[in-house]
Amino acid sequence: ISKNDLMEQLHLKYQQKPWAETLKLVHFCMDKPRRGPVSNAPDGPLRSCMEKIQRTLDAQSLFSAISTLESLSKQKGLNAHVSPSGTACYITSNMFYIEIQLERDGKVMDVKLAHLGEAPVVCDDLLQHLRTKNYDAFGKILEDLSNLYQIPGNSEMKAKGYLALQALEKDLYSMSLLDRTPDVNRVTQVLHGKVGHLVPRIGGTPMSIEFYISPYQVLEAELNPGSQVSGTKTVVTVEGTDTLHKLPLSPLLVESQAGEDGNPAFLPLTDELGTDLSAFFVLKFQQPIPMSSCSIEEIQRLTGIQITGLKLSPLYELIVHATLKEKCSEDLSTHKSHFFVSLPDCPKHCYFINQGSEKSDLAGALVSKIPFSHPKCVPGVIEILRHQVAYNGLINSCVSEKHINEDDSELLYFEVVPHRNTSFSVVFPHPVTENLACVAIDVITSREVQCHLHVNPQDPMLNSSDDFIARVVKRCMSVPVVMRAIFRNAAKMKADS
């Protein structure tokens, strides 16, 4: 039977029945035990159908609102219970529960979250998601809450994992206050703070750390004071693992002291202050970050924990793929290695990305999370992440969704060539002669860049000093803008002569 015929039969069968009765029937079929052999496979088609129905419904009644919450809870592997009055829904697990109070018309009045052994607290983030019917965001928070307790062992061990996360969060928050002046702004915190711009965990939303923001985003924030410009972030959580790690169960930071190197001082992690758990802390990224093998090794030395599941590839290939994924939705398998970039008051640029090889000093991997076991690791990891993201930003400034030149205008050609660690060169035709020139850019840190302009000794200089180029790089972190500045200075010098 065709799908259209089936839908027509269903329509004719149920057109005289109220919609609420049909929903009850679907719920009954989903909850009713199956006959025959028991299977671990989920009710795929039926559950998928139910989810589509719930998403299509605009929860304007108490029944439809409760039904949506029950369906979403089951989808996330949690239990849902309705109060005798029918105006409260409890989403529960062994380690936490969420209480949702509703009115008779289905409007959500209040949402509270309680972890095991703690009093319920109001969750404005969950309340806002439910009132705006953003069930994807609400479901994501349910997943995050469940994942907090995916630690091997009994309920006591899972509870200790949550205590360890609380201790880490307190230390990170204390570190974020160190050396902070009352008038410091968010951008300064992001770029210079020991742990970036930290937002504590609120209800079901995990703690986040914003650690890098590009110069263009800074400019956008300055020009639009009311706008919320978001930089690169990571979230802080705890995960289960196969190996034991000693995690703190209480804060370790000595707020009134600093170490010999000026970094925060911590109490020794003794058996009284910590415990061995099959878990570690993690910094998780919404989108994987392309990182060089050198940066990965540096992080692993700092944390003492291996980052598993990595697949090495040429670093520039990873950066190009990640940039294209962000800028356009086309099939990434068909992308070329050259890109056309348009800038105002300048001929169009064509960039050839030399993706290098899989040699250890030119290879990298996509990193989705960084495990660690002690809060003292976080400032160092944040600095490495800033360094890598700043470098990636320079490379992806040469990448655009345009692979074909759409007009016959004049073109300037450039080749981006990777070097060791976080340095590269941009090779281009000398503006005056027929020889090649080259700018070598070495990203020392996210705040320090060294540049060197190389030309044939017999060719005229290009009127751009190394310091000038470095200042332009740090101001814009964009290779095309730097190249435009060099060509403008060369054109001015040629006109003057």
Side-chain angles (χ1 to χ4, degrees), residues 290 311-324 332 335 339 353-358 362-364 366 395 399 418:
K311 181 182 178 182
L312 289 180
S313 299
L315 177 61
Y316 278 31
E317 179 181 320
L318 297 175
I319 295 174
V320 168
H321 273 254
T323 306
L324 286 174
L332 301 182
H335 86 273
F339 306 93
I353 308 293
N354 185 328
Q355 297 184 358
S357 66
E358 294 188 19
L362 298 177
L366 292 175
I395 305 305
V399 180

Side-chain angles (χ1 to χ4, degrees), residues 136 143 149 239 270 304 323 390 400 460:
D136 288 336
E143 290 180 10
Y149 298 102
E239 285 189 1
T270 61
T323 306
S400 79

Side-chain angles (χ1 to χ4, degrees), residues 45-57:
L46 185 58
R47 197 168 295 277
S48 175
C49 179
M50 186 63 187
E51 291 168 10
K52 290 180 181 178
I53 293 174
Q54 294 293 355
R55 289 181 182 277
T56 304
L57 277 174

